[in-house]
């Protein structure tokens, strides 16, 4: 996930990861989830914050939102 090796995950890096998984999510949606964890409002988060991103279910929600929409329709 940390493409530039700075030990932080940016919105752009998270978007890249999501696209590698074959999911499409617009930047504002990714930003929404990053903002929920970005305590210092720098636009990126560290490993501890990323772990919370996964543990709190934000990652699942972001990755599954299109699947859920497809199932409903």
């Amino acid at each position: 996930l940390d493409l530039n090796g700075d030990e932080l995950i940016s919105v752009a890096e998270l978007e890249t990861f999501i696209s590698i998984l074959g999911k499409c999510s617009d930047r504002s949606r990714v930003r929404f989830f990053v903002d929920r964890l970005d305590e210092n409002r720098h636009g990126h988060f560290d490993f501890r914050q990323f772990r919370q991103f996964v543990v709190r279910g934000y990652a699942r929600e972001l990755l599954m939102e299109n699947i859920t929409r497809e199932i409903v329709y």
Side-chain angles (χ1 to χ4, degrees):
L1 287 173
D2 181 17
L3 299 174
N4 64 3
D6 66 355
E7 298 184 10
L8 299 169
I9 301 169
S10 68
V11 172
E13 288 169 328
L14 188 57
E15 286 177 328
T16 299
F17 178 69
I18 291 168
S19 69
I20 289 170
L21 293 176
K23 305 294 178 189
C24 294
S25 191
D26 75 38
R27 187 174 197 86
S28 65
R29 190 75 176 141
V30 174
R31 173 50 104 189
F32 170 77
F33 285 102
V34 170
D35 285 347
R36 293 178 90 173
L37 292 170
D38 184 14
E39 299 160 351
N40 52 16
R41 303 290 182 233
H42 287 136
H44 54 261
F45 45 89
D46 59 23
F47 179 76
R48 181 187 59 78
Q49 291 168 315
F50 179 73
R51 183 178 178 281
Q52 288 301 310
F53 178 71
V54 174
V55 169
R56 291 181 183 176
Y58 299 153
R60 181 186 66 242
E61 189 174 334
L62 184 59
L63 294 173
M64 300 297 284
E65 67 184 348
N66 290 335
I67 292 172
T68 304
R69 200 172 305 131
E70 290 169 9
I71 291 170
V72 170
Y73 295 116

